[in-house]
Amino acid sequence: MRALQAVEFLVRSIPHRVLLALHGGARDVPVPDWRARPYRVLVIRDDGIGDLILTMETLRAIPGAWPGITVDVLASPQNATFARTLPSVGDVLVHRRGPMRDLLRTWRTLRRRRYDVVVDGRATISNVKAHTAALMLATGARWRIGVGNRRNDWVYTVRVMPGVTTHITEIIAALASPFGISLRDRDWRPRLSLADADRAPAEQRWQDVGEGRPRVLVNISVGNDERLWRHERYGAVLA
């Protein structure tokens, strides 16, 4: 079984190696002096809104580390609206994942933007998808940052090793380390800013339910069917 899995992985990795050979090659590049000049950074977060929320503080930390750094986000249709509310994000590009042939339009857009750095925000899955590799290479960025020790991590020119972590947010936060930011330097818990006009009706609704009993909010949304837990199981857990 392991031999078959190894063969399967080798076959699946061929598109990555072809892409790398055509657009940038597999090489390590030392991080630059961020004080030397302005740098344009793109963070890939074209997945769920919850994933983007967990990345909020990283998106805040990177442009805050050096005056010349600006950060854009490649978002999904699901989280693009929320991404535009983040004050630390400059521009938001929307990309819907689909067949590789549909990448051409996004590829051209990314090439025109001439980013210096691209960061793979999809840091908590076990391997780097061919789609993500294609997006990173499309930017033409010299510095391609991502979490290492994963399958197909050779697409990165700067590999981050988070070490021992206790929460998914810490893995994402490690992506800020090439910018000279330490995991211990700040509180990485996401902070949502809500206007009073938005908060008041939510608080009122929260007060109206439960009849004084302890209230628990359970999020049952998932990004895809593979991660779906049948709804009736939540009832048993809550009971």
Side-chain angles (χ1 to χ4, degrees):
M1 179 63 71
R2 289 184 178 180
L4 288 175
Q5 289 175 339
V7 172
E8 180 185 12
F9 169 64
L10 180 61
V11 171
R12 288 176 177 270
S13 69
I14 290 175
H16 290 77
R17 295 185 182 275
V18 172
L19 285 169
L20 282 170
L22 293 175
H23 302 279
R27 63 186 186 277
D28 293 336
V29 177
V31 296
D33 180 357
W34 302 112
R35 299 167 296 181
R37 63 175 177 86
Y39 288 90
R40 302 188 66 201
V41 179
L42 177 72
V43 176
I44 296 176
R45 195 76 266 191
D46 57 338
D47 41 14
I49 190 171
D51 300 291
L52 181 58
I53 289 174
L54 293 177
T55 313
M56 284 176 55
E57 295 308 312
T58 303
L59 292 172
R60 197 193 310 266
I62 293 175
W66 306 100
I69 292 179
T70 57
V71 172
D72 293 349
V73 171
L74 185 70
S76 66
Q78 297 95 318
N79 64 24
T81 300
F82 176 64
R84 293 189 180 100
T85 69
L86 302 177
S88 58
V89 173
D91 199 3
V92 176
L93 311 179
V94 182
H95 173 69
R96 184 188 299 275
R97 294 215 165 205
M100 290 291 284
R101 65 177 179 272
D102 295 341
L103 267 172
L104 184 58
R105 183 175 180 179
T106 301
W107 184 289
R108 290 171 176 169
T109 300
L110 294 177
R111 279 287 176 178
R112 289 196 301 267
R113 293 293 182 115
R114 297 185 179 277
Y115 288 104
D116 302 291
V117 184
V118 58
V119 180
D120 181 8
R122 299 166 64 98
T124 57
I125 55 179
S126 60
N127 65 303
V128 184
K129 304 292 187 182
H131 200 113
T132 302
L135 290 171
M136 298 190 79
L137 293 167
T139 65
R142 183 181 182 189
W143 292 276
R144 303 188 296 266
I145 299 174
V147 172
N149 280 342
R150 298 187 296 155
R151 290 180 175 179
N152 300 323
D153 69 351
W154 53 70
V155 70
Y156 306 136
T157 58
V158 179
R159 295 171 184 81
V160 174
M161 303 301 177
V164 179
T165 58
T166 58
H167 193 272
I168 183 175
T169 307
E170 294 177 339
I171 299 175
I172 298 171
L175 295 169
S177 61
F179 299 90
I181 303 167
S182 171
L183 191 65
R184 298 183 298 271
D185 286 347
R186 61 192 299 133
D187 184 352
W188 296 97
R189 290 176 294 182
R191 291 171 289 164
L192 288 170
S193 299
L194 297 176
D196 291 341
D198 296 323
R199 181 184 294 274
E203 292 283 2
Q204 186 60 53
R205 183 174 182 182
W206 191 245
Q207 293 296 328
D208 291 343
V209 298
E211 299 178 350
R213 293 173 296 174
R215 292 157 295 173
V216 179
L217 177 65
V218 180
N219 180 9
I220 62 174
S221 64
V222 294
N224 55 66
D225 291 341
E226 294 177 357
R227 300 164 66 181
L228 179 65
W229 207 43
R230 292 202 302 271
H231 292 177
E232 61 268 20
R233 294 183 178 178
Y234 288 98
V237 172
L238 294 175

mmCIF file with all atom_site columns, all heavy atoms in Angstrom, residues 39-50:
data_model
loop_
_atom_site.group_PDB
_atom_site.id
_atom_site.type_symbol
_atom_site.label_atom_id
_atom_site.label_alt_id
_atom_site.label_comp_id
_atom_site.label_asym_id
_atom_site.label_entity_id
_atom_site.label_seq_id
_atom_site.pdbx_PDB_ins_code
_atom_site.Cartn_x
_atom_site.Cartn_y
_atom_site.Cartn_z
_atom_site.occupancy
_atom_site.B_iso_or_equiv
_atom_site.pdbx_formal_charge
_atom_site.auth_seq_id
_atom_site.auth_comp_id
_atom_site.auth_asym_id
_atom_site.auth_atom_id
_atom_site.pdbx_PDB_model_num
ATOM 1  N N   . TYR A 1 39 ? 7.948   46.871 -1.015 1.00 0.00 ? 39 TYR A N   1
ATOM 2  C CA  . TYR A 1 39 ? 7.688   45.506 -1.468 1.00 0.00 ? 39 TYR A CA  1
ATOM 3  C C   . TYR A 1 39 ? 6.182   45.281 -1.531 1.00 0.00 ? 39 TYR A C   1
ATOM 4  O O   . TYR A 1 39 ? 5.450   45.609 -0.602 1.00 0.00 ? 39 TYR A O   1
ATOM 5  C CB  . TYR A 1 39 ? 8.316   44.483 -0.514 1.00 0.00 ? 39 TYR A CB  1
ATOM 6  C CG  . TYR A 1 39 ? 9.819   44.416 -0.600 1.00 0.00 ? 39 TYR A CG  1
ATOM 7  C CD1 . TYR A 1 39 ? 10.608  45.230 0.208  1.00 0.00 ? 39 TYR A CD1 1
ATOM 8  C CD2 . TYR A 1 39 ? 10.458  43.557 -1.484 1.00 0.00 ? 39 TYR A CD2 1
ATOM 9  C CE1 . TYR A 1 39 ? 11.997  45.190 0.139  1.00 0.00 ? 39 TYR A CE1 1
ATOM 10 C CE2 . TYR A 1 39 ? 11.840  43.497 -1.566 1.00 0.00 ? 39 TYR A CE2 1
ATOM 11 C CZ  . TYR A 1 39 ? 12.599  44.318 -0.755 1.00 0.00 ? 39 TYR A CZ  1
ATOM 12 O OH  . TYR A 1 39 ? 13.977  44.268 -0.834 1.00 0.00 ? 39 TYR A OH  1
ATOM 13 N N   . ARG A 1 40 ? 5.768   44.663 -2.635 1.00 0.00 ? 40 ARG A N   1
ATOM 14 C CA  . ARG A 1 40 ? 4.356   44.334 -2.827 1.00 0.00 ? 40 ARG A CA  1
ATOM 15 C C   . ARG A 1 40 ? 4.167   42.858 -2.514 1.00 0.00 ? 40 ARG A C   1
ATOM 16 O O   . ARG A 1 40 ? 4.819   41.991 -3.108 1.00 0.00 ? 40 ARG A O   1
ATOM 17 C CB  . ARG A 1 40 ? 3.911   44.639 -4.252 1.00 0.00 ? 40 ARG A CB  1
ATOM 18 C CG  . ARG A 1 40 ? 4.112   46.090 -4.662 1.00 0.00 ? 40 ARG A CG  1
ATOM 19 C CD  . ARG A 1 40 ? 3.467   46.349 -6.006 1.00 0.00 ? 40 ARG A CD  1
ATOM 20 N NE  . ARG A 1 40 ? 2.019   46.211 -5.920 1.00 0.00 ? 40 ARG A NE  1
ATOM 21 C CZ  . ARG A 1 40 ? 1.249   45.992 -6.978 1.00 0.00 ? 40 ARG A CZ  1
ATOM 22 N NH1 . ARG A 1 40 ? 1.764   45.848 -8.178 1.00 0.00 ? 40 ARG A NH1 1
ATOM 23 N NH2 . ARG A 1 40 ? -0.064  45.885 -6.827 1.00 0.00 ? 40 ARG A NH2 1
ATOM 24 N N   . VAL A 1 41 ? 3.253   42.574 -1.599 1.00 0.00 ? 41 VAL A N   1
ATOM 25 C CA  . VAL A 1 41 ? 3.039   41.206 -1.110 1.00 0.00 ? 41 VAL A CA  1
ATOM 26 C C   . VAL A 1 41 ? 1.612   40.773 -1.455 1.00 0.00 ? 41 VAL A C   1
ATOM 27 O O   . VAL A 1 41 ? 0.658   41.535 -1.255 1.00 0.00 ? 41 VAL A O   1
ATOM 28 C CB  . VAL A 1 41 ? 3.248   41.129 0.418  1.00 0.00 ? 41 VAL A CB  1
ATOM 29 C CG1 . VAL A 1 41 ? 2.997   39.705 0.923  1.00 0.00 ? 41 VAL A CG1 1
ATOM 30 C CG2 . VAL A 1 41 ? 4.658   41.587 0.782  1.00 0.00 ? 41 VAL A CG2 1
ATOM 31 N N   . LEU A 1 42 ? 1.481   39.547 -1.951 1.00 0.00 ? 42 LEU A N   1
ATOM 32 C CA  . LEU A 1 42 ? 0.168   38.948 -2.183 1.00 0.00 ? 42 LEU A CA  1
ATOM 33 C C   . LEU A 1 42 ? 0.017   37.733 -1.281 1.00 0.00 ? 42 LEU A C   1
ATOM 34 O O   . LEU A 1 42 ? 0.884   36.862 -1.262 1.00 0.00 ? 42 LEU A O   1
ATOM 35 C CB  . LEU A 1 42 ? 0.015   38.512 -3.643 1.00 0.00 ? 42 LEU A CB  1
ATOM 36 C CG  . LEU A 1 42 ? -1.308  37.796 -3.970 1.00 0.00 ? 42 LEU A CG  1
ATOM 37 C CD1 . LEU A 1 42 ? -2.470  38.797 -3.954 1.00 0.00 ? 42 LEU A CD1 1
ATOM 38 C CD2 . LEU A 1 42 ? -1.235  37.085 -5.322 1.00 0.00 ? 42 LEU A CD2 1
ATOM 39 N N   . VAL A 1 43 ? -1.084  37.672 -0.537 1.00 0.00 ? 43 VAL A N   1
ATOM 40 C CA  . VAL A 1 43 ? -1.387  36.510 0.307  1.00 0.00 ? 43 VAL A CA  1
ATOM 41 C C   . VAL A 1 43 ? -2.540  35.744 -0.327 1.00 0.00 ? 43 VAL A C   1
ATOM 42 O O   . VAL A 1 43 ? -3.602  36.312 -0.593 1.00 0.00 ? 43 VAL A O   1
ATOM 43 C CB  . VAL A 1 43 ? -1.758  36.944 1.740  1.00 0.00 ? 43 VAL A CB  1
ATOM 44 C CG1 . VAL A 1 43 ? -2.154  35.717 2.572  1.00 0.00 ? 43 VAL A CG1 1
ATOM 45 C CG2 . VAL A 1 43 ? -0.592  37.672 2.396  1.00 0.00 ? 43 VAL A CG2 1
ATOM 46 N N   . ILE A 1 44 ? -2.319  34.457 -0.583 1.00 0.00 ? 44 ILE A N   1
ATOM 47 C CA  . ILE A 1 44 ? -3.351  33.612 -1.176 1.00 0.00 ? 44 ILE A CA  1
ATOM 48 C C   . ILE A 1 44 ? -4.237  33.054 -0.065 1.00 0.00 ? 44 ILE A C   1
ATOM 49 O O   . ILE A 1 44 ? -3.786  32.320 0.808  1.00 0.00 ? 44 ILE A O   1
ATOM 50 C CB  . ILE A 1 44 ? -2.727  32.463 -1.988 1.00 0.00 ? 44 ILE A CB  1
ATOM 51 C CG1 . ILE A 1 44 ? -1.949  33.033 -3.177 1.00 0.00 ? 44 ILE A CG1 1
ATOM 52 C CG2 . ILE A 1 44 ? -3.802  31.490 -2.469 1.00 0.00 ? 44 ILE A CG2 1
ATOM 53 C CD1 . ILE A 1 44 ? -1.219  31.980 -3.987 1.00 0.00 ? 44 ILE A CD1 1
ATOM 54 N N   . ARG A 1 45 ? -5.512  33.420 -0.110 1.00 0.00 ? 45 ARG A N   1
ATOM 55 C CA  . ARG A 1 45 ? -6.476  32.930 0.885  1.00 0.00 ? 45 ARG A CA  1
ATOM 56 C C   . ARG A 1 45 ? -7.813  32.737 0.177  1.00 0.00 ? 45 ARG A C   1
ATOM 57 O O   . ARG A 1 45 ? -8.849  33.240 0.587  1.00 0.00 ? 45 ARG A O   1
ATOM 58 C CB  . ARG A 1 45 ? -6.575  33.959 1.996  1.00 0.00 ? 45 ARG A CB  1
ATOM 59 C CG  . ARG A 1 45 ? -7.233  33.514 3.272  1.00 0.00 ? 45 ARG A CG  1
ATOM 60 C CD  . ARG A 1 45 ? -6.390  32.637 4.162  1.00 0.00 ? 45 ARG A CD  1
ATOM 61 N NE  . ARG A 1 45 ? -6.597  31.233 3.958  1.00 0.00 ? 45 ARG A NE  1
ATOM 62 C CZ  . ARG A 1 45 ? -6.130  30.283 4.767  1.00 0.00 ? 45 ARG A CZ  1
ATOM 63 N NH1 . ARG A 1 45 ? -5.410  30.610 5.845  1.00 0.00 ? 45 ARG A NH1 1
ATOM 64 N NH2 . ARG A 1 45 ? -6.349  29.007 4.523  1.00 0.00 ? 45 ARG A NH2 1
ATOM 65 N N   . ASP A 1 46 ? -7.798  31.972 -0.925 1.00 0.00 ? 46 ASP A N   1
ATOM 66 C CA  . ASP A 1 46 ? -9.000  31.786 -1.735 1.00 0.00 ? 46 ASP A CA  1
ATOM 67 C C   . ASP A 1 46 ? -9.783  30.563 -1.271 1.00 0.00 ? 46 ASP A C   1
ATOM 68 O O   . ASP A 1 46 ? -10.008 29.623 -2.027 1.00 0.00 ? 46 ASP A O   1
ATOM 69 C CB  . ASP A 1 46 ? -8.636  31.685 -3.223 1.00 0.00 ? 46 ASP A CB  1
ATOM 70 C CG  . ASP A 1 46 ? -7.649  30.575 -3.521 1.00 0.00 ? 46 ASP A CG  1
ATOM 71 O OD1 . ASP A 1 46 ? -6.932  30.146 -2.595 1.00 0.00 ? 46 ASP A OD1 1
ATOM 72 O OD2 . ASP A 1 46 ? -7.597  30.107 -4.679 1.00 0.00 ? 46 ASP A OD2 1
ATOM 73 N N   . ASP A 1 47 ? -10.204 30.617 0.011  1.00 0.00 ? 47 ASP A N   1
ATOM 74 C CA  . ASP A 1 47 ? -10.956 29.489 0.569  1.00 0.00 ? 47 ASP A CA  1
ATOM 75 C C   . ASP A 1 47 ? -12.112 30.025 1.397  1.00 0.00 ? 47 ASP A C   1
ATOM 76 O O   . ASP A 1 47 ? -12.815 30.913 0.950  1.00 0.00 ? 47 ASP A O   1
ATOM 77 C CB  . ASP A 1 47 ? -10.039 28.543 1.353  1.00 0.00 ? 47 ASP A CB  1
ATOM 78 C CG  . ASP A 1 47 ? -9.008  29.274 2.206  1.00 0.00 ? 47 ASP A CG  1
ATOM 79 O OD1 . ASP A 1 47 ? -9.156  30.500 2.399  1.00 0.00 ? 47 ASP A OD1 1
ATOM 80 O OD2 . ASP A 1 47 ? -8.065  28.640 2.684  1.00 0.00 ? 47 ASP A OD2 1
ATOM 81 N N   . GLY A 1 48 ? -12.323 29.528 2.608  1.00 0.00 ? 48 GLY A N   1
ATOM 82 C CA  . GLY A 1 48 ? -13.491 29.908 3.387  1.00 0.00 ? 48 GLY A CA  1
ATOM 83 C C   . GLY A 1 48 ? -13.289 31.168 4.210  1.00 0.00 ? 48 GLY A C   1
ATOM 84 O O   . GLY A 1 48 ? -12.157 31.587 4.476  1.00 0.00 ? 48 GLY A O   1
ATOM 85 N N   . ILE A 1 49 ? -14.384 31.758 4.643  1.00 0.00 ? 49 ILE A N   1
ATOM 86 C CA  . ILE A 1 49 ? -14.315 32.976 5.444  1.00 0.00 ? 49 ILE A CA  1
ATOM 87 C C   . ILE A 1 49 ? -13.690 32.708 6.808  1.00 0.00 ? 49 ILE A C   1
ATOM 88 O O   . ILE A 1 49 ? -12.978 33.548 7.366  1.00 0.00 ? 49 ILE A O   1
ATOM 89 C CB  . ILE A 1 49 ? -15.718 33.621 5.583  1.00 0.00 ? 49 ILE A CB  1
ATOM 90 C CG1 . ILE A 1 49 ? -15.604 35.010 6.217  1.00 0.00 ? 49 ILE A CG1 1
ATOM 91 C CG2 . ILE A 1 49 ? -16.669 32.720 6.361  1.00 0.00 ? 49 ILE A CG2 1
ATOM 92 C CD1 . ILE A 1 49 ? -16.908 35.787 6.181  1.00 0.00 ? 49 ILE A CD1 1
ATOM 93 N N   . GLY A 1 50 ? -13.935 31.499 7.362  1.00 0.00 ? 50 GLY A N   1
ATOM 94 C CA  . GLY A 1 50 ? -13.311 31.162 8.646  1.00 0.00 ? 50 GLY A CA  1
ATOM 95 C C   . GLY A 1 50 ? -11.801 31.112 8.543  1.00 0.00 ? 50 GLY A C   1
ATOM 96 O O   . GLY A 1 50 ? -11.082 31.548 9.458  1.00 0.00 ? 50 GLY A O   1
#
